[in-house]
Amino acid sequence: AADLEVVRQTVPVPRLPQPFDGTTVAFLADIHHGPYLTLDAVAAVVRTTLLLNPDLIVLGGDYTLRGGKYAGPCFDVLAGLS
């Protein structure tokens, strides 16, 4: 669960306006903060994402493993994304 993987893909977008050509998007999903994935690991995801210097960051879901008590702290760390 603590394995972070960066996958780079080029996605062709027909009729994309020229100013957006080369735009980079970081898509984060399946973080699953909880008893098996610490806040330090979530912070590593944030640091790695920021080092990639994306133009846009998209959060795709599954932030916590068991909801409730893990959601707030996870979002506090994810708030470091910009």
Side-chain angles (χ1 to χ4, degrees), residues 7 9 22-28 49 52-58:
V7 177
Q9 293 183 336
T23 298
T24 59
V25 178
F27 179 78
L28 308 179
T49 302
L52 294 170
N53 198 28
D55 298 307
L56 178 67
I57 300 170
V58 177

Side-chain angles (χ1 to χ4, degrees), residues 1 27-34 37 42 45 58-67 70-71 74-75 78:
F27 179 78
L28 308 179
D30 299 314
I31 294 169
H32 294 286
H33 168 57
L37 190 82
V42 177
V45 169
V58 177
L59 299 176
D62 290 340
Y63 308 111
T64 65
L65 180 62
R66 295 190 181 134
Y70 298 106
C74 183
F75 289 129
L78 291 175

Side-chain angles (χ1 to χ4, degrees), residues 3-26:
D3 292 336
L4 172 62
E5 182 178 4
V6 176
V7 177
R8 295 178 186 269
Q9 293 183 336
T10 299
V11 179
V13 179
R15 299 181 302 281
L16 182 71
Q18 181 59 35
F20 295 105
D21 188 35
T23 298
T24 59
V25 178

